[in-house]
Amino acid sequence: MSRSEEPSGGPEADEYDVIVIGAGPVGENVADRAHAGGLGALVVEHELVGGECSYWACMPSKALLRPVAALSDARRVAGAVQAVDGGLDASAVLERRDGFTSNWQDKGQVAWLESTGLELLRGRARLDGPRRVAVETHDGTVRTLTARHAVAVCTGSRAALPGIPGIEEARPWTSREATSAKEVPGRLAVVGGGVVGVEMATAWQALGSEVTLLVRGERLLPRMEPFAGELIAEGLTAAGVTVRTGVSVEELSRPGTDGPVTLSLSGGERLECDEVLFATGRAPRTDDIGLETVGCEPGSWLSVDDTLRVTGVHGGWLYAVGDVNGRALLTHQGKYQARVAGAAIAARAAGVPLLETDRWGAHSATADHDAVPQVVFCDPEATSVGLTVDEAGRRGLRVRAVDVELGEVAGASLYADGYRGRARMVVDLDREVVAGVTFVGPGVGELLHSATIAVAGEVPLERLWHAVPSYPTMSEVWLRLLEEYRG
């Protein structure tokens, strides 16, 4: 019996088919898919419905970055560049950003959730033993809930700050402050060369900050092909960002409440700025959700199988979906996991004797291993899906990298004068399929889904040869890659 079919009151009033902890995109999708499978679902949230992505990550960051790309594109085309007068209007960009976050109000998200037939409970949830969840509501009362079939932990991740002396007193920005700030700092230091670091360096430099990007390693975007970080570093430098690699922050100092921050760097140098953003990794939001009551370690990433069920929990009722399992910290990938998990929960509740857990099966999050797509919205853009050459080698695959200069494709030369970019296709030589693709260049984000289909679909190269790209578009890069491979 679903929650909506139960009589009010009585011992079953706080019993649900599925309880979802966290109302971000991942939690919403788990609940929605389970509900579509015939189950009742309750979603518990203590912050804003819509989660990190809607208010402090994907949407506000891309709202900040889209004007940067639009202006850069205009400046790359003769005839359009003459119409460009000045730089970005920072106040207009921030106001547009605020619109995309609904000014940090979640009424619209709540309306959608309730329109689907799901129930929302505001409060802070903790596991309280097998299939039990205790929720401290906003009025201070505690409700103890029981799940008939599953509890799904969808609490996401938070910024991880390093244990550097003076960091608490310095009150650094994390990704939340970087995407929601109301004013443009005069000088901004960005620590970290990953996705958040390069995107926020791009955005705030374009809005008027003097930005210094500090990277402990020797290259940016270390999880992508090396040329991606190289081209992004060139783009940031050309835009006016000071990019420094091989440097660490050893101490921070910020006297007073609103004074400048002084960074002590490796080698003895000091750097003064008005704000400092640490983009140095993520940690799971599992510190205080009662994991110890079910035999798991508080604060840990939750290990799951490909149906997103937490391993080692007796009874198989606990699921961990999205960032919290550490598999692929991307909103779209978390939503994909949610669709798989919701379907698996519904199938198990219905007594399906054998789930489709084979590779690419309906109840298997195979893409987490083999086809994770990502777009880095800097200038130029960097995109990838599947395996890099290094990753393929670590898996023992026999591969060949095929490289093409994107600027040599007619569609790219039309897109921007003097277009600079690069494409790489990683071919699994034994299976004759595409194992990975990387595109770097202006406007390449919209090319990525074709690569994702090729990788996830394991389309044979001989069949890709018959997928004719329209001329003159940047998608013709596929033909150039295949021609280079065939020789």
Side-chain angles (χ1 to χ4, degrees), residues 148-225:
R148 296 188 186 91
H149 300 293
V151 175
V153 176
C154 307
T155 49
S157 64
R158 57 176 172 78
L161 292 174
I164 298 172
I167 195 165
E168 291 186 8
E169 294 79 5
R171 301 179 304 283
W173 280 7
T174 67
S175 52
R176 282 199 170 194
E177 290 77 20
T179 56
S180 63
K182 299 296 186 181
E183 296 180 355
V184 179
R187 300 164 298 173
L188 174 65
V190 179
V191 184
V195 176
V196 173
V198 299
E199 285 190 346
M200 291 298 94
T202 300
W204 288 105
Q205 187 282 326
L207 290 171
S209 288
E210 179 184 324
V211 177
T212 301
L213 180 62
L214 304 170
V215 184
R216 184 171 56 183
E218 294 303 320
R219 62 186 177 97
L220 308 184
L221 302 178
R223 295 187 179 182
M224 287 187 164
E225 298 283 9

Side-chain angles (χ1 to χ4, degrees), residues 375-392:
V375 180
V376 186
F377 292 85
C378 43
D379 184 26
E381 292 177 345
T383 72
S384 67
V385 63
L387 307 180
T388 64
V389 172
D390 285 347
E391 288 171 329

Side-chain angles (χ1 to χ4, degrees), residues 326-415:
R327 287 165 63 118
L329 277 65
L330 297 159
T331 295
H332 50 268
Q333 208 66 23
K335 291 166 70 174
Y336 160 74
Q337 292 178 12
R339 295 190 291 271
V340 172
I345 290 168
R348 287 179 171 129
V352 174
L354 189 63
L355 271 61
E356 298 177 40
T357 57
D358 55 311
R359 193 165 179 265
W360 303 115
H363 307 117
S364 178
T366 309
D368 285 355
H369 309 297
D370 297 329
V372 175
Q374 181 170 24
V375 180
V376 186
F377 292 85
C378 43
D379 184 26
E381 292 177 345
T383 72
S384 67
V385 63
L387 307 180
T388 64
V389 172
D390 285 347
E391 288 171 329
R394 289 194 294 271
R395 292 194 186 190
L397 300 179
R398 193 170 63 93
V399 298
R400 175 185 164 193
V402 182
D403 293 334
V404 168
E405 294 298 320
L406 257 171
E408 296 175 1
V409 175
S413 63
L414 288 166
Y415 188 94

Side-chain angles (χ1 to χ4, degrees), residues 3 8 45 49 54 62 70 73 92 143 155 171 183 230 245 260 262 302 329 337 373 390 415 471 486:
R3 177 70 174 96
S8 60
E45 177 57 60
V49 174
S54 298
K62 277 56 190 180
D73 283 348
R143 287 179 59 184
T155 49
R171 301 179 304 283
E183 296 180 355
E230 294 166 6
T245 59
T262 301
L302 292 173
L329 277 65
Q337 292 178 12
D390 285 347
Y415 188 94
Y471 181 86
R486 294 177 72 149

Side-chain angles (χ1 to χ4, degrees), residues 151-154 302-304 308-310 318-322 324-325 337:
V151 175
V153 176
C154 307
L302 292 173
S303 177
V304 297
L308 290 311
R309 191 160 58 174
V310 178
L318 184 62
Y319 291 73
V321 193
V324 75
N325 61 42
Q337 292 178 12

Side-chain angles (χ1 to χ4, degrees), residues 21 124-128 132-135 288-293:
I21 304 175
R124 191 174 293 275
R126 298 184 81 255
L127 296 170
D128 188 33
R132 288 163 57 91
V133 178
V135 180
D288 189 28
I289 62 168
L291 287 181
E292 68 279 1
T293 71

